[in-house]
Amino acid sequence: MKAPITLIISLLSSVSSSKRIHFKKQMAPSSCVRCCGPLEKSAYPYGLSQTHGVAGDHHTYPLPEIKPKIDITILKGSKGEQGERGLSGKTGKEGPKGSVGVIGPKGNKGQPGIPGNSCKQYYAAFSVGRRKWMESEELQAQLIFDTEFVNLYQHFSMFTGRFYCYVPGIYFFNLNVHTWNFKETYLHLMHNSEEVVILYAQPSDRSIMQSQSVMLELWLKDEVWVRLYQNNRESAVYSDETDVYITFNGYLIKPAESE
């Protein structure tokens, strides 16, 4: 019995001795230690104090600062859409006139062009007559006509006895009458409300034909008509149912320039 007990005791003593040796090795200081100078101070990264630093007398130093280099071309975006065109600038001053160049050679004859539209033509014309005589029973009496020879586009009204201007321009007018024996013949050719020309014949024992003409510049809606005028004596014009002795004519010579 004594022999096994002795063997167990020796084994336990050897194990305990080996643990002490191993603990001593762990606690043994490092063989290589960096010594700091008297002015050198140890640094503690990440703002740790000495109490939170690395155990032991070893000094720590800050890590080197690394500045990464970024390639700008990698971050460049795609090309944007084209913007709207801006307003045109002010026109510059006109430069000096250049000298006349050398006359070049005569070119070849060109091809005929497309036919253009014909110029618009304007017309206005009338010719009317009266088959019945007329005496002035009042100071002023408008002469009404009862016979229509030409009345283009009905610009002359047979009801009112007046020509109405629908085509502005230069017009020619002509008035022909037959006098009455021993009676005065006194007529006005009227432009709107103004007397333009007079057709006059003194009383005579013979009846004669009298005529008066004039050119007038008319504007839109102007009126031209004939008035029998009574002065100090009775005024009259002669005609009969068979023959026409009184005529009034007018036509457009030149239309006004269009604006």
Side-chain angles (χ1 to χ4, degrees):
M1 291 293 294
K2 291 182 182 180
I5 294 170
T6 306
L7 180 59
I8 293 169
I9 294 171
S10 62
L11 290 172
L12 293 173
S13 61
S14 63
V15 169
S16 61
S17 62
S18 65
K19 287 183 177 180
R20 286 195 298 270
I21 294 170
H22 180 69
F23 179 77
K24 287 181 180 181
K25 288 181 178 180
Q26 288 181 349
M27 295 300 294
S30 177
S31 61
C32 181
V33 177
R34 185 177 187 278
C35 298
C36 298
L39 299 179
E40 187 175 0
K41 296 181 180 180
S42 62
Y44 300 93
Y46 310 107
L48 298 176
S49 62
Q50 187 174 3
T51 58
H52 298 85
V54 181
D57 297 333
H58 300 289
H59 296 281
T60 59
Y61 296 90
L63 297 175
E65 183 179 1
I66 300 175
K67 296 182 178 180
K69 184 177 180 181
I70 301 174
D71 190 354
I72 302 300
T73 59
I74 299 176
L75 302 178
K76 185 178 180 181
S78 58
K79 185 177 180 180
E81 297 180 357
Q82 185 176 359
E84 296 181 358
R85 185 174 182 179
L87 299 176
S88 302
K90 295 182 179 179
T91 305
K93 296 181 179 180
E94 185 178 356
K97 186 176 181 180
S99 57
V100 179
V102 180
I103 298 175
K106 184 178 180 180
N108 298 326
K109 184 178 180 179
Q111 298 295 328
I114 301 173
N117 296 327
S118 59
C119 297
K120 186 175 181 180
Q121 300 293 326
Y122 297 93
Y123 299 100
F126 73 93
S127 179
V128 294
R130 181 181 173 94
R131 294 180 182 272
K132 187 178 180 181
W133 54 267
M134 182 176 179
E135 292 181 286
S136 60
E137 298 178 355
E138 54 186 11
L139 182 62
Q140 299 175 6
Q142 182 171 336
L143 198 61
I144 302 297
F145 299 87
D146 53 27
T147 303
E148 183 180 80
F149 299 110
V150 174
N151 192 5
L152 191 61
Y153 309 123
Q154 301 299 307
H155 290 180
F156 187 91
S157 173
M158 299 297 292
F159 180 75
T160 62
R162 299 191 180 200
F163 171 77
Y164 296 93
C165 177
Y166 293 99
V167 182
I170 306 300
Y171 284 80
F172 175 83
F173 295 97
N174 170 256
L175 176 63
N176 301 283
V177 299
H178 192 284
T179 64
W180 201 328
N181 294 358
F182 306 107
K183 293 183 180 181
E184 186 178 49
T185 302
Y186 197 167
L187 295 100
H188 288 152
L189 194 146
M190 306 290 294
H191 178 199
N192 296 328
S193 59
E194 300 291 331
E195 303 95 347
V196 179
V197 292
I198 298 173
L199 189 152
Y200 179 77
Q202 293 181 343
S204 173
D205 57 353
R206 292 187 306 167
S207 59
I208 58 174
M209 293 293 300
Q210 290 284 88
S211 179
Q212 180 65 280
S213 302
V214 68
M215 284 195 299
L216 297 175
E217 183 177 10
L218 302 184
W219 300 101
L220 188 63
K221 296 184 180 180
D222 278 359
E223 302 175 9
V224 179
W225 50 290
V226 180
R227 179 176 72 183
L228 187 62
Y229 184 76
Q230 181 179 344
N231 193 8
N232 298 323
R233 290 174 288 189
E234 184 181 15
S235 179
V237 289
Y238 176 81
S239 190
D240 59 36
E241 297 293 337
T242 304
D243 300 315
V244 179
Y245 289 91
I246 303 170
T247 59
F248 182 34
N249 313 287
Y251 58 88
L252 176 67
I253 296 177
K254 181 180 182 300
E257 297 292 338
S258 58
E259 296 181 357

